[in-house]
Amino acid sequence: MMLQQIVKYINLILLILLISIFTMFLVINFNPYLLNNFFEVKDIRINGTEKTNPDELRQILTPNLNNLISFDKDHAKSLLEQVGWVKRANIKKIYPNTLIINIIETDPFAIYYDNQNNYLIDIDGQIISSNPDINVYKNLLIVRGEEAKTKLNEIIKEINIYFPDVRNRINELEFIEKRRWNLFLSGNLLIKLPDTEIKESLNNLKKLFEDKQVLESNIIEVDLRIKGRAVIKVDGEQVRFGLEEV
């Protein structure tokens, strides 16, 4: 008898649940605005914006907001990460009415000069802003040359791996003819790297610095473009030798 009553109650609950779901479906189907109103985004919380204007981010999101259910997080993330200082955006839905957006901002790494314009860029070469105040960022690395900003991350990685001690001495990087780099170091020292085999060239440069005390000498240029050789310019003169002679 007890078991029959339990089954009866369970069936009744299931029936009520099915009726409720069906009723809700009909209401939403014929009155879709009710769903939109119930899940309307009423609160957008933005965290992590020190350099980015949060109102600018809200304006970007607003045209794409309908309700929380249909809100496309991936599309919104893509839009937000196109904003200059925004490196990454993480978006979380909190039902029924809240969006939480956590922003990770990028760090300025260099000033990129392109013809008459200059840009503040990060280490990946992504543009943060156009024509920044040079006085504010005067201690940043200078980068020049067509397509230089797209190759910046690659050369910095190579330097950090094979000759990290020279990194803080570089004042300027110039990408020559879209194929190789010139490094301008403190003390007006110019390093000419080859088109390929950067690893070998940086290892050779490191050996030169250690054995010849380049920074403490009157050397003004080291040309490593010819494999296995270095051309060193000293006060207008050139000294050629094989790297195995160093």
Side-chain angles (χ1 to χ4, degrees), residues 52-71:
T52 310
N53 184 348
D55 290 335
E56 179 184 355
L57 303 185
R58 289 189 177 91
Q59 289 176 3
I60 291 172
L61 293 174
T62 299
N64 300 285
L65 283 178
N66 186 11
N67 62 67
L68 209 59
I69 293 178
S70 62
F71 178 71

Side-chain angles (χ1 to χ4, degrees), residues 24-195:
M24 184 179 296
F25 171 79
L26 290 176
V27 171
I28 292 174
N29 187 57
F30 291 102
N31 300 279
Y33 67 90
L34 293 177
L35 180 64
N36 291 339
N37 290 339
F38 185 74
F39 291 105
E40 178 186 0
V41 178
K42 297 179 180 179
D43 187 13
I44 301 177
R45 303 176 192 175
I46 301 177
N47 305 314
T49 52
E50 295 182 5
K51 301 165 187 173
T52 310
N53 184 348
D55 290 335
E56 179 184 355
L57 303 185
R58 289 189 177 91
Q59 289 176 3
I60 291 172
L61 293 174
T62 299
N64 300 285
L65 283 178
N66 186 11
N67 62 67
L68 209 59
I69 293 178
S70 62
F71 178 71
D72 189 338
K73 292 198 302 181
D74 292 336
H75 180 59
K77 174 181 172 67
S78 175
L79 291 175
L80 293 177
E81 290 179 351
Q82 293 177 31
V83 177
W85 286 102
V86 178
K87 189 69 173 181
R88 286 190 297 276
N90 180 269
I91 303 173
K92 185 177 182 180
K93 297 179 182 180
I94 304 295
Y95 288 96
N97 308 109
T98 302
L99 273 178
I100 296 180
I101 301 170
N102 294 311
I103 297 296
I104 297 177
E105 294 183 320
T106 191
D107 294 317
F109 183 78
I111 302 292
Y112 172 56
Y113 286 84
D114 181 22
N115 296 323
Q116 301 300 316
N117 299 315
N118 56 76
Y119 304 91
L120 186 65
I121 61 176
D122 65 15
I123 195 170
D124 295 319
Q126 296 298 312
I127 293 175
I128 298 172
S129 63
S130 303
N131 299 312
D133 187 341
I134 301 300
N135 292 323
V136 174
Y137 301 104
K138 60 184 179 181
N139 294 323
L140 292 183
L141 180 70
I142 293 173
V143 178
R144 302 181 190 272
E146 188 178 355
E147 297 185 11
K149 68 184 183 66
T150 63
K151 302 293 185 179
L152 177 62
N153 183 272
E154 181 180 333
I155 185 63
I156 292 300
K157 283 183 178 178
E158 298 276 4
I159 291 170
N160 286 339
I161 292 172
Y162 300 111
F163 194 7
D165 292 345
V166 81
R167 167 64 191 86
N168 292 330
R169 297 182 181 274
I170 300 174
N171 295 329
E172 182 176 331
L173 286 169
E174 184 178 14
F175 200 44
I176 306 296
E177 297 178 352
K178 299 189 288 186
R179 58 187 179 85
R180 67 167 198 85
W181 290 96
N182 279 348
L183 281 58
F184 296 86
L185 276 60
S186 53
N188 296 318
L189 174 61
L190 169 61
I191 308 295
K192 294 182 177 181
L193 295 178
D195 299 9

